[in-house]
Amino acid sequence: MNSKIFLYLFLILLAGYLYRSIGLSNESIWWDEFSSVVHLKPLAEYESSPNFTRWAQGVHYEPSVNILHFLIKNRSMDPATMPLYYSIEYIWHTYIDESYYSLRLLSVFIGLTVIYSTYILGNISFNASAGLIACLLVALSPIHRQFSQEIRMYSLFTLLSILSMLLFIYWYHDQQKRKTFIYYLVITFLLLWTHPFAILVIMVQGVYLLLDRLLIRAWENHNEKPNELSYKDYFKKEVFFLIKWAIPLFFISLPSTLYILTINFWSPDMTSSWMKIPTLREFTGDLVADDCIGWTYQLRAEPDFWMNFFSKETAHTIVSQQYFIGGVMAVLYLICFVWAIWTYFSKSKNINVSQSNNNGKTNPSLILLYCIWWLFPPLFLYFVSHLWRPCIMPRYTMHSSIALYLIIGYTISNMEHKKWLKRLLFITFLLLYLYQGSLILGKPQHTDWKSAGVFIKHNAKTEDIILVNNELWKRVFLYNLGPVPNIVCYGSQFENTAEIAEFLITKLLPERRPNAKLWIVVQGDYFESAPLNHFEKYLKEKGIIYQAQEFPGIQRVVVYHQIYSLQDSVKTFNKKSVALLEDLCAMALEFWRVKDFWSAVDTCKHVIQLDPGFAQAYSYLGMSYKELQEWDLAVDAFTKAVELKPEHYPWNWINIADIHINRGQYELAISALEKAFQLLPNDSFAHTCMGRAYLGLGNREKATEYFQKAIELDPTDLRPATELERLKNNHQQTSSPPK
């Protein structure tokens, strides 16, 4: 590498780093990232908060004991997870740095390696100039910048795809050296453990070999030496070559394929809001215009960058040209593609590349390889989505864009006879990419949970209640919000959210928290603009007035505040959906966790008013009465719960027994615990309660037996150990002779 190329490459890498560093800490942890980090060790300031336990319960955080434990839980969050990236993520987080910024920086470093690897691939395939142009496009690519900032596997997926292609080319066009083939197998094996669709990269290579060996070379061989080798012998020889390539690939693909076959992915109904078959326009944008903001449905344009230099109106005018400019880019892509194909078909022999490339000659069939790589993966997933179920997202085939950049680099670098056109085309692409890059510099791209949380933190009081429109989004929002003293609850549907809001502001808050206010946090659909009519219509039906604060993103967040109702009290509804009843019970449990037991009681009574046969409400009602030491009311509630649904909440029997023990009714407690053991034979606290009951009856031997069993079942539970220590101390005091 000469000094001039080294300087260009350094400047491109520097530009790529700076571009990826802008706004790195501004993005929230959105859903995909949440599934990647929720079971990693939280931030130190989170763990030191007095509200950490409730926060962990709210986001369903469970500490990971080791890397295997983390990978298992990670897969429970995202069934299609492949373990390679998450293993690297866990190691980085555990041994290098625990901050989310650092995890994003890991993706940035991988993204820079993608840029450099693209140069190597272009240089090896064509020439240094083609490699520099291709890696410059990667460095300035909005889509590559976006996924080089995320705590996800897509940059690693792209990097390993490039390396697999690089070693494949080295092997195929360098006399099929065994050592190179082994390296290729190792990298491809790792690639297959990054994403379920990594197999498409191997399929691209296979399609290329079939076309190049069985069609193109056969034709060239027949034209050059028509009498030396029959078609039958030639095909026999080439088929044997393909089999020698395919068999090792089959064996290294087998473990990941078996792993993928065990995936129990979400049903199409569960993914229909975000995993759907793209329209023809959307698919065309994905195929030829991933970097064209407005054509792709992965990124959105904002005028923030241009507002630094022009008026707001002028900035919006500049941004409004995104569709036209995206169309120009798409046309240029197609021109480069057609030119490259024409070059491929017009040259039947290897072509000499520029002197800056020391590889001698390069087979023009690599143009064919890159055309297949660019088009085959998205086309394949598009057709599978029609034949089976929606399974196409632009980020799943982001690696294919590398092939497009290489085709552009090849086209520009080979215009030696028209240098003015070469310079014009290069400058045009540079300006177009700088324009596209400017459109995503500003506000966050993904759901801006972080800003919504900051807004609420700065304006809410500790007794205020936060209501989110979905349990999953509640978990993600709470993860970004961090531990707070506020109740954070949810409504699983927009209508349920509105009904819970009505109950809170017309009944519960005036009676139990007269100084508190309600905040509602709603996430919209992809690229949905405010106002969120499909939610707000429910608020208006209930006479609820509000103010709204919008936080833009691909899925925008709207925070509703200053919420009031024109009604004096909540209506008495007919029997409601199970989802609404469960949402209200979940809110009652949140009140119970902050020791606001009367609010929990009122919420449970409201559920019972809606559906007198809903067992869960009686369970939580009993738990609240128990904490208030309303023993009779608690036992009545627990008894009603087990009458309605004996196996729904087996801890009801333990709670009944605990109350009987507190009241000295040990025989009744033992009877209740015997029923609890039928449902929870290995529950530590049930054994502790049984030990307390026998101790109350004076049976120390049985009590000791149950306390020891409780410790064995859960060594982390200190309650049986405390009871056992108390029993031993009492025995020593009673057995000691008087002084």
Side-chain angles (χ1 to χ4, degrees):
M1 183 186 297
N2 62 45
S3 59
K4 187 177 181 181
I5 293 176
F6 178 82
L7 177 61
Y8 286 151
L9 189 57
F10 172 78
L11 292 175
I12 291 171
L13 288 169
L14 179 62
Y17 172 73
L18 294 175
Y19 185 35
R20 285 154 176 75
S21 298
I22 297 173
L24 194 62
S25 59
N26 294 339
E27 290 281 355
S28 304
I29 299 292
W30 70 298
W31 156 245
D32 279 22
E33 291 181 310
F34 173 78
S35 70
S36 303
V37 303
V38 64
H39 294 305
L40 291 174
K41 189 175 184 294
L43 300 174
E45 56 264 34
Y46 282 18
E47 291 188 297
S48 62
S49 169
N51 302 298
F52 173 73
T53 300
R54 278 200 311 115
W55 176 86
Q57 292 169 336
V59 302
H60 299 184
Y61 162 71
E62 298 176 20
S64 299
V65 178
N66 51 46
I67 189 170
L68 180 60
H69 192 211
F70 170 71
L71 293 175
I72 292 172
K73 288 192 296 184
N74 183 266
R75 194 182 185 194
S76 70
M77 290 291 297
D78 185 352
T81 290
M82 302 296 282
L84 181 63
Y85 169 79
Y86 299 100
S87 299
I88 297 172
E89 175 196 10
Y90 181 87
I91 293 169
W92 182 281
H93 182 270
T94 304
Y95 299 106
I96 296 179
D97 192 284
E98 294 179 352
S99 69
Y100 306 136
Y101 180 86
S102 175
L103 286 173
R104 287 207 167 105
L105 205 58
L106 169 63
S107 294
V108 170
F109 292 152
I110 296 173
L112 293 178
T113 311
V114 168
I115 296 173
Y116 180 74
S117 300
T118 301
Y119 163 75
I120 297 297
L121 187 57
N123 185 31
I124 293 299
S125 301
F126 307 122
N127 53 60
S129 178
L132 287 172
I133 293 169
C135 78
L136 176 63
L137 296 181
V138 179
L140 299 180
S141 162
I143 197 68
H144 281 276
R145 182 254 191 186
Q146 180 64 31
F147 290 104
S148 290
Q149 289 190 325
E150 293 192 2
I151 310 172
R152 293 292 281 174
M153 83 297 291
Y154 299 110
S155 282
L156 181 63
F157 184 9
T158 303
L159 174 61
L160 291 174
S161 298
I162 295 171
L163 295 179
S164 177
M165 285 293 182
L166 180 63
L167 290 165
F168 173 78
I169 292 168
Y170 264 130
W171 165 74
Y172 186 49
H173 294 289
D174 193 19
Q175 300 172 356
Q176 291 91 50
K177 289 184 178 179
R178 181 177 296 179
K179 184 177 180 181
T180 305
F181 190 67
I182 292 173
Y183 291 151
Y184 161 68
L185 291 177
V186 171
I187 290 296
T188 305
F189 177 81
L190 294 175
L191 168 65
L192 292 168
W193 288 98
T194 59
H195 195 276
F197 295 152
I199 191 67
L200 292 176
V201 177
I202 298 178
M203 292 172 69
V204 166
Q205 295 164 355
V207 171
Y208 167 69
L209 287 178
L210 285 171
L211 293 176
D212 191 52
R213 303 293 294 206
L214 297 185
L215 294 180
I216 298 166
R217 291 199 179 194
W219 178 257
E220 292 175 352
N221 183 75
H222 175 71
N223 288 338
E224 293 176 6
K225 304 174 182 179
N227 299 319
E228 289 190 12
L229 191 65
S230 68
Y231 270 122
K232 182 178 180 181
D233 292 336
Y234 179 84
F235 274 101
K236 183 177 180 181
K237 174 185 174 184
E238 294 306 318
V239 167
F240 181 68
F241 171 81
L242 293 175
I243 291 174
K244 286 197 301 182
W245 169 81
I247 289 177
L249 267 296
F250 169 79
F251 282 109
I252 68 165
S253 304
L254 193 57
S256 57
T257 301
L258 294 175
Y259 181 89
I260 291 170
L261 290 175
T262 66
I263 291 175
N264 184 19
F265 198 62
W266 301 306
S267 68
D269 292 339
M270 294 180 64
T271 62
S272 59
S273 63
W274 53 274
M275 180 74 77
K276 54 187 178 181
I277 299 176
T279 64
L280 185 59
R281 177 191 171 279
E282 289 173 334
F283 177 68
T284 303
D286 177 27
L287 199 63
V288 301
D290 265 348
D291 290 325
C292 303
I293 315 301
W295 280 56
T296 177
Y297 54 98
Q298 294 186 102
L299 302 170
R300 65 187 186 88
E302 287 290 343
D304 298 55
F305 174 81
W306 294 105
M307 288 172 63
N308 294 320
F309 310 100
F310 304 103
S311 66
K312 183 177 180 180
E313 293 74 17
T314 303
H316 279 280
T317 300
I318 294 173
V319 172
S320 68
Q321 302 304 308
Q322 59 179 298
Y323 305 104
F324 171 75
I325 293 176
V328 171
M329 291 179 67
V331 170
L332 289 177
Y333 290 151
L334 293 176
I335 289 173
C336 291
F337 170 68
V338 171
W339 192 91
I341 290 292
W342 175 82
T343 302
Y344 166 70
F345 281 110
S346 66
K347 298 180 180 181
S348 60
K349 297 181 180 180
N350 292 346
I351 59 174
N352 291 323
V353 296
S354 65
Q355 294 179 355
S356 59
N357 185 353
N358 296 322
N359 296 310
K361 295 182 179 181
T362 303
N363 193 317
S365 68
L366 290 181
I367 292 296
L368 176 63
L369 172 63
Y370 294 136
C371 290
I372 297 170
W373 187 12
W374 175 35
L375 299 174
F376 178 81
L379 285 170
F380 180 86
L381 292 182
Y382 184 66
F383 285 116
V384 169
S385 295
H386 278 283
L387 296 174
W388 177 49
R389 60 174 286 177
C391 61
I392 182 172
M393 290 287 283
R395 57 182 177 267
Y396 298 164
T397 54
M398 186 177 72
H399 59 89
S400 294
S401 63
I402 300 296
L404 175 61
Y405 305 144
L406 290 166
I407 292 170
I408 295 170
Y410 171 80
T411 302
I412 296 175
S413 66
N414 279 277
M415 291 182 173
E416 296 297 337
H417 300 297
K418 296 182 180 180
K419 291 188 177 181
W420 66 270
L421 182 59
K422 175 180 180 178
R423 294 192 183 97
L424 177 62
L425 192 57
F426 172 77
I427 293 172
T428 301
F429 269 112
L430 178 62
L431 293 176
L432 289 171
Y433 268 81
L434 289 174
Y435 170 80
Q436 296 292 350
S438 71
L439 299 182
I440 64 172
L441 296 179
K443 296 182 178 67
Q445 282 290 310
H446 283 300
T447 319
D448 196 4
W449 298 114
K450 181 185 289 187
S451 296
V454 169
F455 175 73
I456 293 175
K457 278 184 174 180
H458 286 174
N459 295 283
K461 297 174 292 188
T462 58
E463 64 266 29
D464 288 356
I465 295 176
I466 303 170
L467 176 63
V468 188
N469 73 297
N470 179 292
E471 183 187 13
L472 183 58
W473 302 146
K474 184 213 86 168
R475 294 172 62 189
V476 181
F477 170 65
L478 186 58
Y479 195 89
N480 286 273
L481 183 67
V484 292
N486 305 84
I487 295 288
V488 182
C489 51
Y490 63 89
S492 56
Q493 301 168 9
F494 286 131
E495 186 176 7
N496 294 353
T497 305
E499 292 199 4
I500 293 171
E502 183 182 29
F503 166 69
L504 288 170
I505 61 178
T506 60
K507 183 176 181 181
L508 190 138
L509 293 185
E511 294 181 8
R512 298 298 179 187
R513 297 188 174 201
N515 297 321
K517 294 183 178 180
L518 175 65
W519 302 75
I520 303 178
V521 183
V522 177
Q523 175 186 275
D525 291 331
Y526 280 94
F527 296 99
E528 181 182 25
S529 60
L532 304 180
N533 294 322
H534 52 302
F535 170 65
E536 293 175 7
K537 71 175 184 179
Y538 293 115
L539 297 180
K540 292 174 183 176
E541 287 174 0
K542 299 178 182 306
I544 295 174
I545 58 176
Y546 52 83
Q547 294 183 21
Q549 178 69 41
E550 180 188 352
F551 299 92
I554 293 175
Q555 292 174 279
R556 66 186 62 236
V557 176
V558 180
V559 175
Y560 297 90
H561 57 106
Q562 301 298 324
I563 301 172
Y564 301 96
S565 176
L566 300 178
Q567 302 174 12
D568 294 330
S569 60
V570 67
K571 300 177 185 177
T572 301
F573 299 102
N574 297 324
K575 184 174 180 179
K576 292 295 178 177
S577 68
V578 173
L580 173 62
L581 304 179
E582 290 176 342
D583 296 344
L584 287 164
C585 284
M587 184 171 69
L589 185 61
E590 290 299 320
F591 284 124
W592 182 85
R593 285 170 174 163
V594 298
K595 303 185 186 308
D596 185 356
F597 303 119
W598 284 116
S599 291
V601 167
D602 287 351
T603 304
C604 291
K605 286 183 175 180
H606 181 63
V607 176
I608 293 169
Q609 184 182 16
L610 296 175
D611 185 352
F614 198 67
Q616 189 177 24
Y618 291 100
S619 297
Y620 291 171
L621 181 64
M623 288 165 53
S624 303
Y625 277 138
K626 179 185 174 185
E627 296 297 334
L628 292 167
Q629 297 187 2
E630 297 283 350
W631 307 123
D632 291 334
L633 292 174
V635 170
D636 289 345
F638 287 131
T639 303
K640 182 66 174 178
V642 296
E643 286 177 359
L644 290 170
K645 216 167 188 180
E647 298 181 2
H648 171 69
Y649 196 73
W651 292 273
N652 287 325
W653 290 113
I654 301 175
N655 280 309
I656 291 172
D658 193 31
I659 293 172
H660 286 322
I661 292 170
N662 292 334
R663 303 174 79 174
Q665 299 169 332
Y666 304 116
E667 295 287 355
L668 291 176
I670 291 173
S671 177
L673 287 169
E674 287 174 348
K675 296 176 181 177
F677 281 149
Q678 294 176 11
L679 302 172
L680 294 169
N682 296 315
D683 186 84
S684 173
F685 185 59
H687 284 78
T688 300
C689 289
M690 187 67 89
R692 290 171 56 207
Y694 275 112
L695 186 61
L697 292 174
N699 191 334
R700 294 175 177 270
E701 183 178 346
K702 292 283 280 186
T704 300
E705 178 185 335
Y706 278 102
F707 290 146
Q708 289 175 341
K709 181 63 175 178
I711 294 172
E712 178 185 330
L713 290 170
D714 186 1
T716 64
D717 189 351
L718 300 179
R719 290 171 294 187
T722 302
E723 294 288 349
L724 190 59
E725 185 66 26
R726 184 181 297 124
L727 186 154
K728 291 179 179 178
N729 291 337
N730 290 339
H731 177 70
Q732 291 175 355
Q733 291 175 4
T734 56
S735 61
S736 298
K739 294 182 180 179

